[in-house]
Amino acid sequence: MLGVLTMLCLSGCVRVRAAMAVSPNDLVSGEIVIAAQPTRAGDQGPELEIPDAVKARTSTKAYNVDGYVGNTLSFHDLTFEEVRELSSSINPNSQHFQMSFRRSGDLVTMSGSVDLTGLPTDKADVQIKLAFPGRVTKTDGIDEDGAITWKPKAGEVTEFTATAEYSTKGQSSWTRWVMIVAASAIGVALLVAILAYAARRVSLRQVQ
């Protein structure tokens, strides 16, 4: 994996902007932009593989903004386990990116980590946003009215966590939480798609 990170450093900047919202019945919806700066004409950015079990609740569209090309992946109503499966399908072997959700009584905790130690500070634009339907009781991110933001820095290992209190029996509307985070466009593990794609691009350039 370190070799892939090194190749990414040589291949240009990457952009990952993930946003997720958890509903009162523990279903996760969101959107993530995965993009990189093209290195040749016709470069369309990284391709994503989606598990068959969740394809009906996901969609992708091309992303081309600020010189970055790639995809925007949208998903809705995934269980905590399905979020893990979606992440694992794109990141089957690496431990550089991890994320998990768990419930204990009325407390739901998200925890994860991202290792960007192989990237120079000017090579990554990474942002993660998460919204809960209940009161956030603890987090190491920036909490703005229940919408939590993390901005992992290149060259560092970033650990992130957030805990919220709410019951699955609650009827609180969570649509506004989706609106809060959607503009920033499951799991941080999807970043590996860019790393693998960058490695392939470098290999192609070396062959040419």
Side-chain angles (χ1 to χ4, degrees), residues 58-91:
T58 65
S59 63
T60 59
K61 63 181 179 180
Y63 178 87
N64 190 340
V65 178
D66 299 333
Y68 291 85
V69 293
N71 291 280
T72 299
L73 168 67
S74 300
F75 58 95
H76 64 92
D77 295 342
L78 301 187
T79 66
F80 291 167
E81 177 62 18
E82 286 173 333
V83 170
R84 187 197 64 78
E85 291 176 357
L86 179 58
S87 299
S88 297
S89 71
I90 299 174
N91 175 35

Side-chain angles (χ1 to χ4, degrees), residues 96-108:
H96 283 261
F97 305 93
Q98 302 179 54
M99 173 176 282
S100 64
F101 290 87
R102 68 179 185 276
R103 172 177 283 280
S104 177
D106 286 348
L107 296 178
V108 173

